[in-house]
Amino acid sequence: MRGGGVRIVLTGAQLTLLLVWLPRWVGTSGLTLERLPTAVGAACLLGAVAGFARSARRSDRQSGRQPGPLSSGAYGPVGFAVLVVLLTAWPVLPSPPVRVAVPLLALVAAITAAGHAELHGEALRQRGRLTGAGVLVVLGLGGLLGFGADAALSSAATPPVGWALLLALASAVTWARPAVPVVLVGVLAVPPLVLGGQAMAAGTTWSAYGKVTERTSLANVTSAVHNGVRLPDMREAREVARDEPARLAAFDLVPGGHPRRVLVLGAGIGNETAFALGRGAEHVDAVEVDPALVRLAGNRHPDHPYADSRVTVHLADPRAYLDRATGRYDLVLVTAAVGRDVLPGTGTPGSSYALTTEAFGQARRLLAPGGTVAVEYDQAAVSSGGGGESRSGRAGRQGSTDSPAARRIATTLAAAFDRPACRVGPADGGRVILAVVGARSATRTCVPLTAEAASAAGTPFTDSGAPLTDDRPALSRHGQPWSGQTAGALALLVVAAAAALGWSRRGTRRSRPAGPDRIVSTDRLTGAALVGSGAAVWVAGLVVTGWAAVRVGPGWPIRSGVPALVLGVSVAVVLLGATVSARRHRPARRDRPVTADPARTATQTAAHLAAGLLLGSCLGYGVPVYGTAAALGTVASLLIAAGVAAAWVRRRTTRRPGGEPNPVRHPRRDIPADRAAWPPTRPTSSSPEPTRGPAPPSPARRPGP
């Protein structure tokens, strides 16, 4: 594998890095918009479809003129530079409405991905001796390389400038011209320079879980911003107890207000741990997954809670720790940071596997007799970005008990503990505490969330639906897989991808010969098989990612390792199928009619594969609501449809319309000169028939002994 094969590997690696890292980085840029990472990821896939389709459209219309520096895919690095500058300056710019900001950033991301895909289309057109199956395998190997690079950068807590440098280097290496233009070099240098300056800013720390920015006020009070969300100020526990006693309401639910053993899930910068120590706790287990927050608390918190001998810090995912913990606690406190988590794969914000019925069942197992489980939920922080939580924000202004998310957490607690949950907090849509109290407390009143209590208080009571489970953990969706606005946007993306694929096919019918030698076209059937296979792989990857995240946690090993595993299995299946087909001497999917353009076929294959991934991402958006059974049914249906299409491809490439065998030849084999040219020419009436002389005599055999 030389030349074109190496460039195809770089193609798969760069596009994988772009599709994996760009939506995640957008989520750390300070924009707390719920649909933004999902919209950017889907827009990148749509851009890849459009870029490969444009490359396929241009493959049979090449001229001797060299393209300019801003054509032939060079607009991809330009779009990436614009996106980096725009997101870096976004906090100081006037904030546009959500309905303007999300489409704008998604459009820029689509242009970025389209340019990179078209830039790499040149590598696919120069694929050398690789067949269609070989192109898929080599692209898959490049994808594995991209996932490996993403995992290495994440594990080393590299700032975004590391990804920007790799993307710029890959664009320069795969540039098809003899030399990279000076203008393009300047454009490629913009993102690393801007992100490098951001990484060196004072008070900014990066980890595998995002960006932490430290801020100090004029009163010498330190606060932090984690992935664009402002965290509470780091103050002494006694000052908070004096000025803001409501922040210690969870400890008042324990009899006497002084729990001896406390478990804090999502400990963050250490405020809740300091509160527990201030209430006289003998031992505190603080669980936090982001080491950057733990380091910040150790350096800047005035009480230094993590340095206390009574505190044990666990760098682990809250759900993974619950499954393996063996201690007994008087209070299990789930902080508001857990309610701001994002489900892996689908990018569903405001949801966590630590808020499901199974997780609360593990918390119940860890409770001491008379113990309490309390869940803090900050409705204002979750609903500030709009999207799916906007309804809870409007309801929260009428009363936080009307919040669909808060009611659903209460329903989940009741299902796990077999008794109603109660609520503590002001009815202003802010931070509330939903708890199951083991013993009656005289320090704090906890209002039961039942129909009888609501009727006695004269307030309406609304059913919140089914409780959250590991199979259906989407809290912010309120039981709906797609809202009307989201469904319309996803449908528009799929229609746009189909239009791009159809546009890339224009002109192919006119180039096929007519008459009895006409070979039946299989492009549409092959494209349908690729689209179905790509969608099935994406949905299956979401199922496996969710299963692994429940047991290990949604960290960078799951975020990069599980998709790489699914991709590796898919590459192995393609390679095995091509090998078996070749050994049986049957026309494999890589074999094409001799009238097919190899360059166009390779780019169209990549376009259909990207369209399948886009369809899978749109279908997978409903997996956290419909559950694993529905997802596996979708995967089976897609694979069956792809198999039927592949079977028709085999049948139609081996038979003519009249039922006679179709002379399918591999492009690398010997082809008559009058059929090897692309595009093939139609015979005209004025063209004279070629004269054929008598057949040459066969050579005489030498007599044997």
Side-chain angles (χ1 to χ4, degrees):
M1 184 178 63
R2 299 179 180 178
V6 175
R7 293 181 62 194
I8 294 176
V9 170
L10 291 178
T11 296
Q14 186 184 31
L15 292 180
T16 300
L17 274 179
L18 194 66
L19 294 174
V20 170
W21 170 73
L22 192 58
R24 189 171 70 240
W25 171 68
V26 168
T28 65
S29 60
L31 298 176
T32 55
L33 304 176
E34 175 178 324
R35 294 192 181 96
L36 184 58
T38 303
V40 169
C44 286
L45 289 172
L46 176 61
V49 175
F52 284 126
R54 189 168 186 263
S55 179
R57 175 75 172 167
R58 205 181 67 245
S59 63
D60 58 340
R61 296 189 289 111
Q62 294 291 334
S63 61
R65 184 178 57 184
Q66 290 288 343
L70 296 183
S71 62
S72 186
Y75 59 89
V78 174
F80 182 50
V82 171
L83 184 63
V84 169
V85 173
L86 186 62
L87 287 177
T88 303
W90 196 278
V92 298
L93 295 176
S95 299
V98 174
R99 295 186 178 182
V100 176
V102 173
L104 175 62
L105 295 176
L107 177 62
V108 179
I111 294 174
T112 300
H116 283 85
E118 187 176 353
L119 180 64
H120 292 300
E122 183 70 21
L124 295 178
R125 291 196 297 269
Q126 299 176 0
R127 60 179 183 170
R129 297 175 62 87
L130 289 175
T131 62
V135 170
L136 291 177
V137 171
V138 176
L139 277 176
L141 294 178
L144 293 176
L145 179 62
F147 281 119
D150 180 71
L153 293 174
S154 298
S155 62
T158 307
V161 64
W163 282 268
L165 284 173
L166 286 182
L167 291 174
L169 181 62
S171 297
V173 171
T174 55
W175 181 252
R177 308 284 83 78
V180 181
V182 178
V183 176
L184 184 62
V185 172
V187 171
L188 292 175
V190 170
L193 291 176
V194 174
L195 295 178
Q198 186 185 57
M200 292 186 294
T204 301
T205 306
W206 292 89
S207 70
Y209 300 92
K211 179 176 68 172
V212 178
T213 304
E214 176 187 343
R215 295 179 179 178
T216 304
S217 64
L218 297 177
N220 201 25
V221 176
T222 303
S223 62
V225 178
H226 186 228
N227 291 336
V229 178
R230 181 182 173 87
L231 304 180
D233 296 339
M234 289 183 280
R235 300 168 55 192
E236 294 184 1
R238 58 182 181 180
E239 293 182 1
V240 176
R242 182 187 66 236
D243 301 335
E244 303 176 65
R247 292 180 59 182
L248 281 74
F251 299 91
D252 295 334
L253 298 176
V254 180
H258 300 284
R260 295 175 57 251
R261 296 180 60 86
V262 179
L263 172 62
V264 181
L265 300 177
I269 55 178
N271 284 333
E272 287 76 11
T273 304
F275 299 159
L277 296 176
R279 288 296 183 96
E282 298 178 1
H283 182 76
V284 179
D285 283 316
V287 181
E288 174 55 46
V289 70
D290 195 341
L293 294 177
V294 176
R295 289 194 298 267
L296 179 61
N299 296 330
R300 302 296 295 172
H301 201 288
D303 287 338
H304 300 285
Y306 294 149
D308 196 291
S309 60
R310 295 171 291 173
V311 177
T312 303
V313 180
H314 305 272
L315 290 176
D317 178 73
R319 174 58 190 277
Y321 181 83
L322 280 176
D323 291 340
R324 68 170 185 264
T326 57
R328 292 287 181 175
Y329 303 98
D330 300 312
L331 174 63
V332 176
L333 177 60
V334 183
T335 67
V338 176
R340 292 191 296 266
D341 285 347
V342 177
L343 293 180
T346 58
T348 302
S351 304
S352 172
Y353 288 109
L355 298 177
T356 62
T357 305
E358 293 83 355
F360 290 145
Q362 295 292 346
R364 180 180 183 179
R365 175 180 60 85
L366 300 176
L367 282 182
T372 298
V373 172
V375 180
E376 294 181 349
Y377 190 73
D378 194 349
Q379 301 172 100
V382 176
S383 62
S384 61
E389 284 296 324
S390 59
R391 290 175 292 178
S392 68
R394 291 193 296 267
R397 288 190 290 269
Q398 301 172 0
S400 56
T401 55
D402 294 333
S403 166
R407 291 200 310 268
R408 201 163 187 204
I409 293 176
T411 302
T412 306
L413 282 169
F417 285 86
D418 298 325
R419 60 178 181 269
C422 60
R423 170 186 165 275
V424 177
D428 58 357
R431 179 171 300 194
V432 297
I433 296 177
L434 306 165
V436 174
V437 181
R440 184 176 298 276
S441 173
T443 308
R444 176 74 62 171
T445 302
C446 194
V447 180
L449 296 178
T450 60
E452 294 78 7
S455 177
T459 58
F461 180 81
T462 306
D463 186 15
S464 60
L468 299 171
T469 62
D470 288 344
D471 194 39
R472 300 179 179 183
L475 174 63
S476 61
R477 305 282 185 81
H478 314 300
Q480 300 295 328
W482 302 280
S483 64
Q485 184 178 0
T486 302
L490 295 179
L492 183 62
L493 290 174
V494 174
V495 171
L501 293 178
W503 175 72
S504 68
R505 297 177 182 276
R506 292 184 60 187
T508 56
R509 291 184 178 180
R510 300 177 183 177
S511 61
R512 297 193 186 105
D517 291 334
R518 179 179 181 273
I519 297 177
V520 179
S521 172
T522 60
D523 289 345
R524 296 185 184 277
L525 294 175
T526 304
L530 285 172
V531 170
S533 301
V537 168
W538 187 283
V539 177
L542 292 181
V543 173
V544 178
T545 300
W547 178 85
V550 171
R551 289 152 181 81
V552 182
W556 65 265
I558 300 301
R559 188 178 60 211
S560 300
V562 172
L565 177 63
V566 175
L567 178 60
V569 172
S570 303
V571 170
V573 170
V574 173
L575 186 60
L576 179 63
T579 303
V580 171
S581 181
R583 288 188 175 182
R584 291 186 176 183
H585 302 286
R586 294 179 180 178
R589 186 172 60 181
R590 63 182 183 178
D591 294 326
R592 293 285 183 178
V594 294
T595 56
D597 179 15
R600 189 180 189 121
T601 299
T603 49
Q604 282 186 342
T605 297
H608 283 88
L609 188 61
L613 297 179
L614 174 61
L615 177 61
S617 68
C618 295
L619 295 175
Y621 197 70
V623 169
V625 176
Y626 283 134
T628 304
L632 294 179
T634 302
V635 171
S637 302
L638 291 171
L639 290 179
I640 291 174
V644 171
W648 274 99
V649 167
R650 185 178 302 279
R651 179 178 179 181
R652 298 188 68 178
T653 53
T654 55
R655 293 288 175 181
R656 288 185 180 180
E660 301 177 359
N662 195 11
V664 178
R665 297 182 178 90
H666 195 279
R668 294 194 329 225
R669 298 176 185 172
D670 296 332
I671 301 174
D674 59 340
R675 301 190 65 187
W678 181 264
T681 57
R682 292 176 177 269
T684 59
S685 57
S686 59
S687 301
E689 288 290 334
T691 58
R692 299 181 180 179
S698 58
R701 292 187 177 182
R702 181 178 299 178

